[in-house]
Amino acid sequence: MDDLFARFIDEEFEFIFSDEDSVNYIIEGFDDERLTSEKFYKHFDAFKNQVVNMTSNDEWLIQQIHERMDDMLRDVLKEYLNNYQ
């Protein structure tokens, strides 16, 4: 089965870090000349794959998403009931 959550994270990283301003914003926080945008892009796939793996296996994060989904479903059901009574 395809891991849609992992694919979503991967696609978001591709989209966000295709912009060099986003890359510069991230690497500025390190204040270390060893990490340049060129090195970032050279190793981007390895960095991205590690983050995708960490994110898609983060039990706490997944639980937060599930809880938020429940809250959203309740809101939709309340709206439905309010509109159709």
Side-chain angles (χ1 to χ4, degrees):
M1 182 171 170
D2 194 17
D3 188 340
L4 299 176
F5 186 53
R7 191 168 77 192
F8 166 75
I9 301 299
D10 183 86
E11 289 173 357
E12 284 296 299
F13 263 76
E14 287 289 338
F15 175 74
I16 292 167
F17 293 109
S18 65
D19 176 28
E20 195 162 342
D21 288 339
S22 296
V23 172
N24 289 331
Y25 175 76
I26 289 293
I27 63 178
E28 279 176 358
F30 289 95
D31 195 27
D32 188 330
E33 58 273 348
R34 293 176 298 168
L35 184 57
T36 64
S37 62
E38 292 81 16
K39 287 182 182 177
F40 179 89
Y41 282 117
K42 180 179 180 181
H43 301 287
F44 178 66
D45 285 337
F47 297 151
K48 179 186 66 174
N49 291 340
Q50 190 170 354
V51 172
V52 167
N53 186 46
M54 291 168 60
T55 304
S56 60
N57 290 300
D58 185 322
E59 297 278 337
W60 180 85
L61 180 59
I62 293 167
Q63 182 61 36
Q64 297 306 306
I65 292 170
H66 285 170
E67 288 176 15
R68 185 68 180 124
M69 289 168 58
D70 290 347
D71 292 342
M72 289 179 187
L73 179 56
R74 284 186 189 92
D75 291 344
V76 167
L77 294 173
K78 286 176 188 175
E79 182 178 336
Y80 171 79
L81 292 172
N82 287 334
N83 289 329
Y84 294 100
Q85 286 190 6

